[in-house]
Structure formats: structure tokens, C-alpha cells
């Protein structure tokens, strides 16, 4: 009886831990504007899909969007200055595309479990 309980516990542990794993999911990204004013962005995914974010105010965060894996290009205008950054987006990762206080694009990523 004890062996059956142990085996059932291991079985349920394996099922629940495997359900949380990322299965080649597309990367997601959001924009964090810590810059000096509102920003207008165009994000072009590797498959050519274009996402526009207009008037993202200073101190605001956009909603997360899903993108195709590969090289994604971020074009931003803030305070009349054009910024461009290329981001290599990988499956099973989430990205914060951050405009910092000096109006520079910095990218942070975290693995999606």
C-alpha cells in the first residue's frame, strides 16, 4: 500500500510539473516607457507583422504581444529622437523593451516556464 501511494505521488508530480513547461511558444514582449515623454513605436516581427504603439506615456507599460521568433526590429520616436534596436527573440521567452530615463532602449528577457 505504501509503494502504491509513493508511485501515485510521483506520477502526479510528473504530470503537474510537465504541464508548466513551455512548448515552443512564441516569445512575448511589452514596452516599458521610463523615458522623458510619450513614445511612438513600431515593432516589426521576423515574419513582417507590424505592431504600432502610439502615445505610450512616460511611466506607462504596454500590453504584452506575441511575436514570431527571430530578429524583431523596434523603431521608436521620443522627444523627436529616432531610436532603433534589433532584438533576437527566442521561443519560450518574455521580453521587456524598456526606454530608460536617458531615452535609450534596453531589453530584458526572462524564460517562460
Amino acid at each position: 500500500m505504501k509503494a502504491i501511494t509513493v508511485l501515485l505521488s510521483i506520477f502526479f508530480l510528473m504530470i503537474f510539473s510537465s504541464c508548466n513547461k513551455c512548448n515552443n511558444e512564441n516569445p512575448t514582449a511589452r514596452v516599458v516607457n521610463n523615458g522623458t515623454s510619450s513614445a511612438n513605436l513600431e515593432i516589426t516581427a521576423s515574419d513582417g507583422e507590424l505592431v504600432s504603439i502610439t502615445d505610450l506615456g512616460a511611466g506607462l507599460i504596454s500590453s504584452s504581444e506575441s511575436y514570431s521568433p527571430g530578429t524583431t526590429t523596434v523603431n521608436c520616436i521620443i522627444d523627436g529622437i529616432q531610436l532603433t534596436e534589433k532584438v533576437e527573440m527566442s521561443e519560450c521567452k518574455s521580453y521587456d523593451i524598456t526606454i530608460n530615463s536617458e531615452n535609450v532602449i534596453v531589453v530584458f528577457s526572462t524564460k517562460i516556464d
Side-chain angles (χ1 to χ4, degrees):
M1 185 69 171
K2 200 174 194 182
I4 292 173
T5 304
V6 169
L7 286 174
L8 282 174
S9 297
I10 292 171
F11 175 74
F12 283 114
L13 250 169
M14 287 174 49
I15 287 177
F16 288 117
S17 66
S18 67
C19 291
N20 293 332
K21 301 292 180 193
C22 179
N23 293 318
N24 299 327
E25 295 170 19
N26 281 345
T28 60
R30 65 183 184 168
V31 178
V32 179
N33 185 0
N34 290 329
T36 57
S37 65
S38 291
N40 293 306
L41 298 105
E42 284 189 346
I43 303 171
T44 307
S46 62
D47 65 357
E49 180 183 356
L50 180 68
V51 174
S52 293
I53 302 171
T54 57
D55 294 324
L56 182 64
L60 297 181
I61 301 171
S62 73
S63 60
S64 288
E65 298 283 337
S66 179
Y67 296 92
S68 296
T71 303
T72 299
T73 303
V74 179
N75 288 306
C76 172
I77 297 176
I78 186 166
D79 283 340
I81 300 169
Q82 174 78 37
L83 306 173
T84 301
E85 186 72 30
K86 291 192 183 284
V87 180
E88 189 63 37
M89 291 194 179
S90 302
E91 294 173 338
C92 299
K93 286 198 175 181
S94 177
Y95 295 84
D96 278 346
I97 301 167
T98 303
I99 302 167
N100 70 15
S101 61
E102 297 172 353
N103 292 339
V104 175
I105 296 175
V106 181
V107 180
F108 302 95
S109 67
T110 55
K111 187 174 180 178
I112 300 171
D113 289 328

